[in-house]
Amino acid sequence: MDDALLMADADARAAHYLDSVATRRVFPDQQALAALREFEEELPVSGYAGKSTLALLDTVGSAAAVVSNGPRYFGFVVGAALPAGAAAERLMLAWDQCASSFNNSPVAATVEKVAARWILEILDLPREGAVGFGTSATACAIACLSAARRTLLARCGWDFDRDGLSGAPEIKAVVSDLAHITVIKALRILGFGTARLLIAPTDDHGRIDPAQMPPLDDRTILCLQAGEVNTGEFDPFTALIPRVRAAGAWVHVDGAFGLWARASSQRPPTEGVEDADSWTVDGHKWLNTPYDGAMAICRDGDALAQAMNSDAAYATASKDAQKNLTLEFSRRARGIPIWAALRSLGREGVGEMVDRHCRQARELAERLRGAGYEILNRVVINQVLVRADSDEQTIAIREAAQALGEAWFGPTVWQGRPAFRLSVSSWRTRDEDIEALAAMLCRLKKA
Ligand SMILES: Cc1ncc(COP(=O)(O)O)c(C=O)c1O
């Protein structure tokens, strides 16, 4: 079978799958999970035809896919994939560009540059900033935090690239007691040491309490959050950032999903975030682009470009080449689906989608409150944090809902007790889907 026929087969199967995302079980049933055994083959000696490989992937794999690209997946703020972004990925696969720099791929470098400009505009972050398109908020946090430490060390006269950390002045990191695990992971990988992190206590809503902030100086990186993972809350940027930067510290913001509130009428709690030094934000969550697409954004573009530089005699490039702004050297053009999503939605479309999800989250919270659930957060954006009458009932309802397969959402722990978290972030979620979710949860509460 030639290239084109195999691709047409894949496209037909993909279209068939997409046709069913509104009606499929959201999490695969036991039969579909058991069938995954069919993948447990020996490594073939001579190889199978592409058609048979695709057929196995589709017949066994599609049935066992979690329908996060559907309207009734409410776990983990994952979002679905907008058609324009997914289609751009499909074309990119045909190009198979190594999108390191203009020399490797003029088209990728050009489109990603436009995407970077649009991202700074729609998120209203400093227009002079650099944007690296990386695999995830985790990877982008590693890039930003390494630029942060390298810059603070340079200000103390320490050459991190040459001398490393041995004997270097200590750079401290301050994180909220509710910092996302991947920010802790990034700091751990970079050698900050979890026992040496300074912890900033949070208030009842999950925001850092400025009155309890540990001491900060010009050898400190403060990590703030735009969108706490349970509550969706924002740290008090205006109260914190000017004073922290005046002390010479570096402010990094994890805005994996919450930074998108800035593109909508939900912007007020994000005010002041633009004064930070660096930000991470995902495309693959609330912008609804395919995985993996995230951004490392740095006010001082040179700081990111120097930290991430990978120029070699055989591969020199401009400082804003993506290989010099991200962890990757060979890379897919992650900015292209992000560009395609922004181009298809426009500023208004992004704002409308974010606003719609926030409205749906508020309406869902109201319905659940009316059914006797406790809503544990203020529902400032798209997260609804829920508890039933007892811990046992909370867990039982979540398990029963998952088993039904009509929707999916995950567990969490809030202030030491079980809860569940409903994240509204798929472009496919209609008001009827919210109504169906609320009705199911009301039924389960009465059962
Ligand atoms: C608040 C927050 N920060 C960081 C991350 C990590 O993002 P990623 O999965 O893209 O690494 C997530 C999501 O999983 C998140 O919700």
Side-chain angles (χ1 to χ4, degrees), residues 76-77 135-139 180 182-183 225 227-229 254 256-257 282 284-285 294:
F76 304 112
V77 209
T135 50
S136 61
T138 309
H180 195 265
T182 57
V183 172
Q225 305 202 78
E228 195 276 327
V229 76
D254 170 21
F257 64 94
D282 274 320
H284 57 218
K285 290 194 171 69

Short mmCIF file of all heavy atoms in Angstrom, two decimals, residues 76-77 135-139 180 182-183 225 227-229 254 256-257 282 284-285 294, ligand 1:
data_model
loop_
_atom_site.label_atom_id
_atom_site.label_comp_id
_atom_site.label_asym_id
_atom_site.label_seq_id
_atom_site.Cartn_x
_atom_site.Cartn_y
_atom_site.Cartn_z
N PHE A 76 -8.81 16.72 34.84
CA PHE A 76 -7.46 17.28 34.61
C PHE A 76 -7.34 18.49 33.69
O PHE A 76 -6.26 18.72 33.15
CB PHE A 76 -6.53 16.19 34.06
CG PHE A 76 -6.44 14.97 34.93
CD1 PHE A 76 -6.95 13.76 34.49
CD2 PHE A 76 -5.85 15.04 36.18
CE1 PHE A 76 -6.88 12.63 35.30
CE2 PHE A 76 -5.78 13.92 36.99
CZ PHE A 76 -6.29 12.71 36.54
N VAL A 77 -8.35 19.24 33.43
CA VAL A 77 -8.26 20.44 32.55
C VAL A 77 -7.55 20.12 31.23
O VAL A 77 -6.73 20.91 30.75
CB VAL A 77 -7.51 21.61 33.20
CG1 VAL A 77 -8.02 22.95 32.67
CG2 VAL A 77 -7.55 21.59 34.69
N THR A 135 7.31 20.97 24.97
CA THR A 135 6.39 19.84 25.00
C THR A 135 5.29 19.99 26.04
O THR A 135 4.21 19.42 25.87
CB THR A 135 7.15 18.55 25.34
OG1 THR A 135 7.94 18.79 26.50
CG2 THR A 135 8.04 18.12 24.20
N SER A 136 5.57 20.69 27.12
CA SER A 136 4.61 20.70 28.24
C SER A 136 4.92 21.87 29.16
O SER A 136 6.01 22.45 29.09
CB SER A 136 4.75 19.41 29.04
OG SER A 136 6.06 19.33 29.56
N ALA A 137 3.98 22.16 30.04
CA ALA A 137 4.26 23.19 31.05
C ALA A 137 5.42 22.72 31.93
O ALA A 137 6.21 23.54 32.40
CB ALA A 137 3.02 23.45 31.89
N THR A 138 5.53 21.42 32.14
CA THR A 138 6.63 20.91 32.95
C THR A 138 7.97 21.25 32.30
O THR A 138 8.87 21.82 32.93
CB THR A 138 6.53 19.37 33.10
OG1 THR A 138 5.21 19.04 33.52
CG2 THR A 138 7.54 18.83 34.07
N ALA A 139 8.12 20.88 31.03
CA ALA A 139 9.38 21.13 30.32
C ALA A 139 9.64 22.64 30.23
O ALA A 139 10.79 23.10 30.37
CB ALA A 139 9.33 20.51 28.93
N HIS A 180 1.90 23.38 41.96
CA HIS A 180 1.66 22.16 41.18
C HIS A 180 2.88 21.26 41.26
O HIS A 180 4.01 21.72 41.25
CB HIS A 180 1.36 22.52 39.72
CG HIS A 180 0.75 21.39 38.97
ND1 HIS A 180 1.50 20.51 38.21
CD2 HIS A 180 -0.54 20.96 38.89
CE1 HIS A 180 0.69 19.61 37.68
NE2 HIS A 180 -0.55 19.86 38.07
N THR A 182 4.36 19.57 39.21
CA THR A 182 5.35 19.66 38.12
C THR A 182 6.30 20.85 38.30
O THR A 182 7.41 20.83 37.77
CB THR A 182 4.65 19.76 36.75
OG1 THR A 182 3.79 20.90 36.75
CG2 THR A 182 3.86 18.50 36.45
N VAL A 183 5.88 21.85 39.07
CA VAL A 183 6.80 22.95 39.39
C VAL A 183 7.84 22.44 40.39
O VAL A 183 9.04 22.70 40.27
CB VAL A 183 6.03 24.17 39.94
CG1 VAL A 183 6.98 25.25 40.45
CG2 VAL A 183 5.12 24.74 38.86
N GLN A 225 1.20 31.14 41.00
CA GLN A 225 0.27 30.34 40.18
C GLN A 225 -0.84 31.20 39.59
O GLN A 225 -1.46 31.99 40.31
CB GLN A 225 -0.43 29.28 41.02
CG GLN A 225 0.48 28.37 41.78
CD GLN A 225 -0.23 27.08 42.13
OE1 GLN A 225 -0.38 26.21 41.29
NE2 GLN A 225 -0.67 26.95 43.35
N GLY A 227 -4.07 30.00 38.32
CA GLY A 227 -4.91 28.82 38.14
C GLY A 227 -4.43 27.67 39.00
O GLY A 227 -3.69 26.79 38.53
N GLU A 228 -4.80 27.69 40.29
CA GLU A 228 -4.44 26.59 41.18
C GLU A 228 -5.22 25.36 40.73
O GLU A 228 -6.40 25.47 40.35
CB GLU A 228 -4.78 26.98 42.64
CG GLU A 228 -4.15 26.11 43.70
CD GLU A 228 -4.93 24.84 43.99
OE1 GLU A 228 -6.19 24.87 43.90
OE2 GLU A 228 -4.31 23.81 44.29
N VAL A 229 -4.57 24.20 40.78
CA VAL A 229 -5.12 23.05 40.07
C VAL A 229 -6.48 22.57 40.60
O VAL A 229 -7.30 22.06 39.84
CB VAL A 229 -4.07 21.92 40.03
CG1 VAL A 229 -3.96 21.22 41.38
CG2 VAL A 229 -4.36 20.94 38.92
N ASP A 254 3.40 29.90 37.05
CA ASP A 254 2.85 28.70 36.43
C ASP A 254 1.40 29.01 36.07
O ASP A 254 0.53 29.07 36.94
CB ASP A 254 2.92 27.53 37.41
CG ASP A 254 2.14 26.32 36.91
OD1 ASP A 254 1.90 26.23 35.69
OD2 ASP A 254 1.76 25.46 37.74
N ALA A 256 -0.35 27.19 33.62
CA ALA A 256 -0.57 26.09 32.67
C ALA A 256 -1.93 26.19 31.99
O ALA A 256 -2.04 26.13 30.77
CB ALA A 256 -0.40 24.75 33.37
N PHE A 257 -2.98 26.36 32.80
CA PHE A 257 -4.29 26.57 32.16
C PHE A 257 -4.83 27.96 32.47
O PHE A 257 -5.38 28.64 31.61
CB PHE A 257 -5.29 25.47 32.56
CG PHE A 257 -5.68 25.42 34.01
CD1 PHE A 257 -6.80 26.07 34.46
CD2 PHE A 257 -4.91 24.71 34.94
CE1 PHE A 257 -7.16 26.04 35.81
CE2 PHE A 257 -5.26 24.67 36.28
CZ PHE A 257 -6.38 25.34 36.72
N ASP A 282 0.12 26.24 28.85
CA ASP A 282 -0.10 25.16 27.89
C ASP A 282 -1.02 25.60 26.77
O ASP A 282 -1.98 26.35 27.00
CB ASP A 282 -0.77 23.97 28.58
CG ASP A 282 0.23 23.04 29.25
OD1 ASP A 282 1.30 22.80 28.67
OD2 ASP A 282 -0.07 22.55 30.35
N HIS A 284 -2.11 22.79 25.08
CA HIS A 284 -2.88 21.53 25.06
C HIS A 284 -3.92 21.42 26.18
O HIS A 284 -4.62 20.42 26.26
CB HIS A 284 -1.97 20.30 25.02
CG HIS A 284 -0.97 20.17 26.13
ND1 HIS A 284 0.29 19.69 25.91
CD2 HIS A 284 -1.02 20.43 27.44
CE1 HIS A 284 0.97 19.65 27.05
NE2 HIS A 284 0.19 20.10 28.00
N LYS A 285 -4.03 22.43 27.00
CA LYS A 285 -5.12 22.42 27.99
C LYS A 285 -6.23 23.32 27.46
O LYS A 285 -7.01 22.92 26.61
CB LYS A 285 -4.60 22.86 29.36
CG LYS A 285 -3.68 21.82 30.00
CD LYS A 285 -3.46 22.11 31.46
CE LYS A 285 -2.74 20.97 32.13
NZ LYS A 285 -1.34 20.84 31.68
N ALA A 294 3.18 23.58 24.53
CA ALA A 294 3.22 24.49 25.67
C ALA A 294 4.20 25.62 25.38
O ALA A 294 4.93 25.57 24.38
CB ALA A 294 3.65 23.73 26.91
C1 LIG B 1 -1.48 24.24 37.32
C2 LIG B 1 -0.69 23.28 36.48
N1 LIG B 1 0.63 23.47 36.32
C3 LIG B 1 1.39 22.64 35.58
C4 LIG B 1 0.84 21.57 34.96
C5 LIG B 1 1.72 20.67 34.13
O1 LIG B 1 1.40 20.80 32.78
P1 LIG B 1 1.91 19.75 31.70
O2 LIG B 1 1.04 18.56 31.89
O3 LIG B 1 1.71 20.41 30.39
O4 LIG B 1 3.33 19.47 31.99
C6 LIG B 1 -0.54 21.32 35.09
C7 LIG B 1 -1.22 20.17 34.46
O5 LIG B 1 -1.16 19.12 34.42
C8 LIG B 1 -1.32 22.21 35.86
O6 LIG B 1 -2.64 22.02 36.00
#
